[in-house]
């Protein structure tokens, strides 16, 4: 159920796992242990992975999309926060990623990876 919730919200940072635990009537630690046992990763790492995958999909499909619109959809108040997250996870800024997407599309390479995966 948690995986579906996280996926459904695209890893939105404002989705507070503590609130979900309360609604499910369990502790964060119990839910975390069950999640790790089932999916072999923490809820936070899955949360971040879903957020990153969603952003990459949007940018790959439409590199001209406003970066702040993606940031807002993912729950960031500022584009700079989203860019820090993206850089930490991908090793490149959003602008660098978008430029890479555009270059690959110009070459006719429509794969989703930037080579940094």
């Amino acid at each position: 159920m948690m995986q579906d919730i996280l996926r459904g919200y695209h890893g939105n940072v404002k989705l507070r796992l503590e609130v979900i635990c309360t609604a499910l009537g369990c502790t964060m630690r119990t839910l975390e242990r069950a999640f790790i046992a089932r999916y072999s990763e923490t809820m936070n790492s899955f949360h971040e992975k879903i957020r990153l995958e969603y952003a990459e999909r949007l940018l790959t499909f439409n590199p001209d999309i406003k970066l702040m619109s993606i940031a807002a959809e993912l729950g960031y108040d500022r584009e700079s926060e989203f860019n820090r997250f993206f850089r930490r996870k991908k090793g490149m800024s959003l602008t660098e990623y978008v430029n890479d997407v555009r270059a690959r599309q110009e070459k006719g390479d429509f794969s989703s990876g930037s080579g940094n995966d």
Side-chain angles (χ1 to χ4, degrees):
M1 176 195 275
M2 277 304 298
Q3 190 183 43
D4 292 338
I5 291 170
L6 294 172
R7 222 179 263 291
Y9 283 89
H10 311 297
N12 188 307
V13 294
K14 291 189 178 176
L15 178 65
R16 297 290 176 230
L17 301 176
E18 300 83 17
V19 174
I20 295 169
C21 289
T22 302
L24 293 174
C26 65
T27 66
M28 187 73 168
R29 183 72 188 129
T30 299
L31 189 57
E32 185 73 41
R33 269 184 269 165
F35 196 92
I36 291 170
R38 174 92 189 243
Y39 300 108
S40 301
E41 68 180 313
T42 67
M43 287 186 295
N44 282 331
S45 67
F46 182 78
H47 198 203
E48 288 184 344
K49 182 173 74 176
I50 292 302
R51 191 177 329 140
L52 184 63
E53 288 172 359
Y54 185 69
E56 287 177 303
R57 227 178 7 262
L58 290 176
L59 291 167
T60 299
F61 178 71
N62 182 7
D64 296 322
I65 192 170
K66 297 282 185 203
L67 298 178
M68 188 56 217
S69 69
I70 298 173
E73 190 170 343
L74 292 175
Y76 290 98
D77 294 324
R78 291 184 293 278
E79 186 179 320
S80 61
E81 293 171 350
F82 176 47
N83 196 39
R84 268 192 304 278
F85 162 77
F86 196 89
R87 181 181 292 278
R88 183 171 43 89
K89 292 298 182 181
K90 288 297 288 182
M92 64 173 56
S93 70
L94 287 161
T95 303
E96 291 167 327
Y97 186 83
V98 166
N99 289 339
D100 184 62
V101 166
R102 286 184 180 128
R104 284 183 286 125
Q105 289 177 350
E106 286 174 12
K107 293 178 185 173
D109 177 4
F110 297 101
S111 63
S112 62
S114 67
N116 288 351
D117 295 328

